[in-house]
Amino acid sequence: MGSRTRTRASRRARLTPPRLTPRDVLHAGSAGLRSRPMRVFLSALGIAIGIATMIAVVGISSSSQAKLLRELDKLGTNMLVATPGQGMFTGQDTTLPQDAPAMIGRIDGVLSVGTTGDVAQSVRRSENIPAAETGGIAVKAAKDDLLGTLRARTARGAWLNGATGRYPAVVLGHVAAQRLGITEPGRQVFIGGRYFTVTGILAPVPLAPEIERSALVGWTAAEELLGFDGNPTAVYERSADDRVAEVRELIARTANPKTPSAVSVTDPSAALQAKAATEGAFSTLLLGLGGIALLVGGVGVANTMIISVLERRHEIGLRRSLGATKGQIRIQFVTESLLLSGLGGLAGIALGGAATAIYARAGDLPWVVPLWAVTGGFAATLAIGTLAGLYPAVRAARLSPTLALQAG
């Protein structure tokens, strides 16, 4: 009796399928990849291209957005500009009162005020150039506090001050300097029938592009030498961050109490904010193309796995004959598919990050690759690898051991 019990127990022990440890699964799944390196490379390439495209698109968009946000932090979003509007009933252009800058400066919460006024003159490289060829450069009278209010700086030379603002001195916006072909202070330009000496050239001023295309002379010099009437045409003000909305409501009534509707108040930072918010809008199409490339790569992985199953029928039959279960065969081929797509995903992440770094370096942008793009992209490759390996794995598990061995 005891002998029979031991015999049954030994038979059950022999019929128990072997257990595979994670290390065994990994070894079995990578065996097919190690034996066909070129096929693995070509199959993983499709996945890598798809992921690289997606990572690069997101990374480049995020890097551009980060630069815009950095500029906004530096330039501030607390500047408003008051300019003359049109009369409500006449529709004609109006003017700001001469005391408008001083009145705006008295508003509670306003920190600084800078003013410019349009001068009806042209600026030319020399008197030999026809007056009609202005190059799109405006001549503006500017007060001393304009530079600080704009948070601008001079790239070369010096800004106007109490002394130079009374004499024929001019500061050029960087676009104006380029159009005039002037790269250093000390040169002269022809304005209103006389030569003005260039004392400075401004660095770019993103919040005031009209300043970049202007030749700026002192307020007193403009009145005495160029026939300027003294009326401001743009009043720039900086207010406390928590008072911007309140100040905006008061500017028009303060600048022109008689006809506040004739004053236009704008927020120059709004354009940069909108650009930063919509920076990734045009990347949707490229993300879609990257997704399509990723799916094509998944089809390539599935095709590779099917071919692998057909070529390895003898191996599958031998493993089944030695006791491997259908589940273990499925796990082996799904693991192989996951490894194949995972290798492609890692290569794609590296390629996408490198492409973003090259673009950022060339465009002087911060290098930004969001973590969600990396994790999401890699998760997508694993999901595609699982889906691509399911059918070949099921097909391999269904092979009859006898027929599989005969096929070998």
Side-chain angles (χ1 to χ4, degrees):
M1 186 68 178
S3 174
R4 292 180 180 178
T5 302
R6 287 194 297 271
T7 302
R8 292 194 195 100
S10 63
R11 288 176 179 174
R12 283 196 299 269
R14 286 196 300 270
L15 294 176
T16 301
R19 295 180 179 273
L20 294 180
T21 65
R23 181 178 179 180
D24 295 332
V25 172
L26 185 63
H27 181 78
S30 61
L33 303 182
R34 293 194 303 269
S35 62
R36 299 168 178 82
M38 182 55 65
R39 184 181 298 174
V40 169
F41 171 77
L42 295 176
S43 299
L45 184 62
I47 294 287
I49 292 174
I51 290 297
T53 301
M54 298 177 73
I55 294 294
V57 167
V58 174
I60 290 172
S61 176
S62 298
S63 297
S64 300
Q65 188 178 51
K67 182 180 181 180
L68 286 173
L69 293 175
R70 181 182 295 179
E71 287 184 358
L72 278 173
D73 288 339
K74 181 175 66 175
L75 298 172
T77 58
N78 60 342
M79 187 174 81
L80 298 174
V81 184
T83 55
Q86 292 182 336
M88 181 179 296
F89 301 106
T90 64
Q92 296 179 348
D93 293 337
T94 62
T95 58
L96 291 175
Q98 292 189 5
D99 61 350
M103 296 297 291
I104 291 174
R106 294 191 184 99
I107 298 176
D108 188 23
V110 172
L111 303 178
S112 64
V113 176
T115 312
T116 62
D118 291 341
V119 179
Q121 299 289 347
S122 63
V123 55
R124 292 169 284 164
R125 182 69 180 270
S126 74
E127 58 185 313
N128 299 321
I129 297 175
E133 296 183 13
T134 64
I137 304 171
V139 179
K140 294 180 182 292
K143 293 196 173 180
D144 301 349
D145 46 12
L146 177 66
L147 193 70
T149 301
L150 294 178
R151 293 184 184 174
R153 62 180 181 85
T154 54
R156 297 178 182 85
W159 175 245
L160 300 167
N161 54 43
T164 56
R166 296 177 176 273
Y167 296 98
V170 61
V171 173
L172 300 176
H174 88 285
V175 174
Q178 290 174 356
R179 292 177 181 176
L180 290 170
I182 294 176
T183 58
E184 295 292 339
R187 305 293 296 273
Q188 290 190 321
V189 293
F190 195 72
I191 305 175
R194 64 185 303 161
Y195 281 96
F196 278 64
T197 301
V198 177
T199 61
I201 299 174
L202 294 180
V205 189
L207 291 186
E210 67 279 4
I211 299 298
E212 298 178 344
R213 299 187 294 270
S214 299
L216 304 166
V217 299
W219 200 270
T220 303
E223 290 179 323
E224 296 178 355
L225 303 177
L226 300 176
F228 174 52
D229 59 10
N231 287 318
T233 50
V235 180
Y236 304 84
E237 69 80 29
R238 288 277 183 182
S239 53
D241 291 334
D242 58 345
R243 304 296 298 275
V244 175
E246 298 177 21
V247 171
R248 181 165 191 158
E249 293 295 324
L250 296 173
I251 283 182
R253 295 197 298 269
T254 304
N256 194 343
K258 293 182 179 179
T259 54
S261 60
V263 179
S264 174
V265 181
T266 58
D267 179 1
S269 67
L272 282 179
Q273 294 181 56
K275 186 177 180 180
T278 60
E279 183 63 36
F282 294 103
S283 65
T284 303
L285 176 61
L286 294 177
L287 279 176
L289 294 176
I292 293 173
L294 190 59
L295 290 176
V296 171
V299 172
V301 171
N303 184 56
T304 299
M305 295 306 302
I306 291 174
I307 295 175
S308 179
V309 169
L310 294 176
E311 292 179 345
R312 295 160 64 188
R313 285 179 296 178
H314 184 269
E315 174 193 332
I316 296 169
L318 182 60
R319 290 198 62 203
R320 289 295 311 280
S321 300
L322 294 175
T325 64
K326 291 182 178 181
Q328 291 171 346
I329 297 296
R330 285 194 294 267
I331 290 175
Q332 174 188 346
F333 281 91
V334 169
T335 301
E336 185 173 328
S337 178
L338 279 172
L339 290 173
L340 180 57
S341 59
L343 289 173
L346 291 175
I349 290 171
L351 290 173
T356 302
I358 293 172
Y359 180 88
R361 185 177 182 84
D364 193 24
L365 304 175
W367 182 65
V368 179
V369 178
L371 181 60
W372 65 264
V374 176
T375 56
F378 191 67
T381 62
L382 296 183
I384 287 179
T386 302
L387 294 175
L390 280 177
Y391 173 72
V394 171
R395 181 171 178 173
R398 288 178 177 175
L399 286 176
S400 168
T402 305
L403 296 177
L405 288 171
Q406 289 177 352

